[in-house]
Amino acid sequence: MRTRITVIVVFLAIALTALAPAVQAGARSRRAAAALIRAETSLQEISEHEHAAVLGAELELARRWLDDARSALLAGRDKRAETLASRLDAQIALLRAMLSAAGAEARAEAAERAALALVDRIRTLEARYDALVLEARGAELTSAFPEKPEAPDAP
Amino acid sequence: MPREILRAFAFAAFGALAGCGPAERPESLRQLEALAGAEDAADAPNAAATAWGEAQRYLALASEALDVGDAADADRLASLGLIQGKLAMTSLREERARGQLEAVAEIESQRELEIERLTSAIAAMEQILARDRVRRHVEAVIDVSRRRAAAAEEQGAGAQKGDARLGEARLEVGREMLGRSRVEAAVLGALVGAGAALEEQKASADGAVALAEQALERKDLAVVQERVEEVGAASHRAFAWAFECADAAKTTRITETVVRLTAAGFDAVPDDYGAAVSLARAGKKGKAACAGAERLAQLDEALKDAPRHAVVTIDPRGSRPFPSLDTGKGRCPVALVVPLPDSP
């Protein structure tokens, strides 16, 4: 009886050892597939962003890695697919950071344009002030006039 | 045949020797090294410490892999490091853009402040100039009025010898004009006084409203009402207008560009007065002439006193230097009731 049990245990141990790589490979394959689906969704979302034009070669690189990873998964090269999916995750983080930076730069440029428009407005007002000063000199009224404010520095 | 074998062996030997040399440096590793040595790299750790640290770690690992001849692993590690390095540099760019945005916003707020100051200074200057324009206009009108009055009196005196009635009529006109110029001078005095008070205090339009309210508190409105009623039926419109303007002064903010002025009842006098004078001068008898003479006496009495209060109105449109009672009603949003000097 003891001998029989020992034989069964040994048999089970051998069977499990043989099956372990296949189980691990299945899990890796599922993880890689899920990562690729997430990456595909993210890339679609990124490519529709208003500042997507600034991404250029980096976006193309990410798309190429996505295609490579998909091919590797279909060819059963799960480890390669998983490696590419991991690299793709990092690349997507880079793309998002680039979009964020592009947005901040666009806002800064818009603010500079607005500040320049204010300079134009100030110049118009200064011209009006100077015209009034001339009129006042004609009427000998300059003593009662408020002082002209200082012009701000250009950015 | 042996020569061909020898050549093949030589190629194989050279190939083997070449394979035994140091592994080729991958492009990704070169790019990562260039990124790490870039001019901006010193600031990158401040913007994205984690990403920059990862890039440095991958660079070290890739170099180690290359040292042991594993070029493929070195390429893989350098690619990962390159992504992290670019991420750090992108964060640095974003941080700089945010800093720039803050700096520009600060400049923008300073400029808005300057615009506000300039606008305020220009408004004050325009107010001063407008007041000066009105003062000059009033002075010119009074000057013309005085000259006309003097000329009429002179003519009347000259004509008295030949035609007593015509001479009398011209004298009346001269007196009327003189009376008118007295009122105008009084009103001008009030205007200048009010303007000087405003300028001295550097008061804005709100100050003028306060002056009006103070005047109203001194029962000026009642005095205006009393004087206006004295000048007869024609003065009803003047009183209504004066009351309206004085009432508006309590609530309406002044946004004047031109100051206009009149004396309460002043514009109403000439027409009514003129009609009565015509009847009396015509020497006609009867009820109308008697009424005219009576009216003339009343008006003479009213003019003798001369209005002691002026309603100084401020019209944002400023289309007319002197308001008319007929058209002034409802056109003057703000009025100051100011006391006139005793002697013009």
Side-chain angles (χ1 to χ4, degrees):
Chain A
M1 184 62 182
R2 184 180 290 175
T3 309
R4 197 175 291 170
I5 289 168
T6 306
V7 168
I8 289 167
V9 168
V10 169
F11 176 77
L12 283 174
I14 292 168
L16 284 174
T17 307
L19 283 173
V23 170
Q24 280 178 355
R28 181 181 289 154
S29 172
R30 281 195 299 276
R31 277 200 307 273
L36 289 184
I37 289 167
R38 280 198 308 274
E40 195 168 3
T41 309
S42 297
L43 282 182
Q44 182 62 31
E45 182 190 321
I46 286 167
S47 60
E48 287 169 2
H49 195 277
E50 61 173 326
H51 296 304
V54 303
L55 301 175
E58 297 295 344
L59 182 60
E60 285 308 310
L61 186 63
R63 281 180 180 147
R64 204 171 69 224
W65 285 347
L66 179 66
D67 290 342
D68 289 352
R70 201 182 283 137
S71 303
L73 196 65
L74 289 172
R77 294 163 62 203
D78 295 342
K79 193 174 179 186
R80 169 75 177 153
E82 200 177 32
T83 304
L84 282 170
S86 165
R87 196 184 292 183
L88 201 51
D89 270 350
Q91 183 72 2
I92 284 168
L94 171 62
L95 293 175
R96 288 191 195 284
M98 286 173 77
L99 288 179
S100 179
E105 284 169 347
R107 284 194 296 279
E109 282 172 17
E112 276 193 17
R113 281 196 297 275
L116 283 174
L118 289 182
V119 170
D120 288 343
R121 171 96 178 109
I122 287 172
R123 283 180 185 149
T124 307
L125 288 173
E126 281 179 339
R128 173 75 181 136
Y129 181 94
D130 293 341
L132 288 174
V133 167
L134 281 178
E135 190 180 341
R137 278 184 189 150
E140 298 173 354
L141 280 171
T142 45
S143 61
F145 270 28
E147 282 185 18
K148 186 177 179 180
E150 291 290 324
D153 298 330
Chain B
M1 186 68 179
R3 186 181 289 177
E4 287 172 356
I5 293 168
L6 193 63
R7 189 181 293 167
F9 179 75
F11 276 125
F14 280 124
L17 282 172
C20 289
E24 194 182 344
R25 208 168 193 74
E27 177 60 25
S28 56
L29 184 54
R30 275 200 286 269
Q31 284 181 9
L32 182 55
E33 283 168 344
L35 190 69
E39 197 177 335
D40 292 345
D43 296 333
N46 301 327
T50 310
W52 190 250
E54 282 290 291
Q56 294 291 330
R57 192 171 66 84
Y58 279 122
L59 176 61
L61 289 172
S63 297
E64 282 174 17
L66 196 66
D67 288 345
V68 296
D70 193 347
D73 199 36
D75 182 35
R76 184 183 67 80
L77 290 164
S79 294
L80 289 170
L82 197 56
I83 293 172
Q84 294 300 325
K86 285 178 182 174
L87 189 61
M89 296 305 271
T90 305
S91 300
L92 178 63
R93 260 177 53 207
E94 183 173 356
E95 194 177 274
R96 283 178 177 168
R98 285 182 196 282
Q100 190 182 358
L101 188 63
E102 280 175 20
V104 172
E106 176 67 24
I107 289 171
E108 209 169 329
S109 71
Q110 282 175 9
R111 285 185 179 158
E112 277 167 358
L113 194 63
E114 293 304 321
I115 285 174
E116 200 178 312
R117 284 180 189 158
L118 266 171
T119 307
S120 168
I122 286 171
M125 289 163 69
E126 281 175 340
Q127 187 179 343
I128 291 167
L129 282 168
R131 193 178 294 141
D132 183 64
R133 275 196 293 274
V134 170
R135 186 179 59 78
R136 284 166 193 269
H137 185 86
V138 169
E139 282 173 353
V141 168
I142 287 174
D143 189 50
V144 168
S145 180
R146 278 180 181 151
R147 276 191 272 118
R148 279 183 187 166
E153 196 160 13
E154 194 179 332
Q155 275 188 348
Q160 219 168 4
K161 294 171 188 172
D163 185 340
R165 214 161 52 179
L166 183 62
E168 185 65 26
R170 283 181 174 167
L171 271 175
E172 280 300 327
V173 172
R175 283 174 195 151
E176 183 190 336
M177 296 304 281
L178 280 171
R180 185 184 177 117
S181 68
R182 273 203 302 277
V183 175
E184 283 171 345
V187 172
L188 175 65
L191 173 68
V192 171
L198 282 175
E199 282 177 14
E200 278 172 15
Q201 295 166 18
K202 295 191 184 303
S204 62
D206 289 342
V209 172
L211 281 180
E213 286 172 351
Q214 287 167 15
L216 286 169
E217 281 172 10
R218 293 197 304 269
K219 299 178 189 172
D220 286 344
L221 188 61
V223 178
V224 169
Q225 180 177 350
E226 186 187 329
R227 290 295 168 202
V228 167
E229 282 174 348
E230 281 177 5
V231 294
S235 65
H236 283 305
R237 285 175 300 168
F239 169 68
W241 175 78
F243 187 87
E244 190 177 295
C245 289
D247 192 49
K250 286 189 286 189
T251 54
T252 312
R253 294 288 167 197
I254 295 173
T255 54
E256 84 273 33
T257 52
V258 175
V259 178
R260 290 167 34 176
L261 71 161
T262 187
F266 166 65
D267 274 3
V269 173
D271 290 345
D272 210 1
Y273 183 80
V277 168
S278 302
L279 284 172
R281 264 189 220 123
K284 287 184 180 174
K285 306 285 182 187
K287 200 175 175 182
C290 289
E294 192 183 342
R295 186 86 185 105
L296 180 61
Q298 287 175 358
L299 290 170
D300 272 341
E301 188 65 23
L303 270 180
K304 197 193 298 172
D305 287 346
R308 287 203 295 271
H309 293 81
V311 178
V312 180
T313 67
I314 294 150
D315 183 359
R317 285 156 296 197
S319 56
R320 296 170 64 242
F322 286 94
S324 158
L325 293 179
D326 293 333
T327 57
K329 185 176 180 182
R331 292 189 61 208
C332 305
V334 177
L336 290 176
V337 181
V338 295
L340 293 176
D342 290 337
S343 55

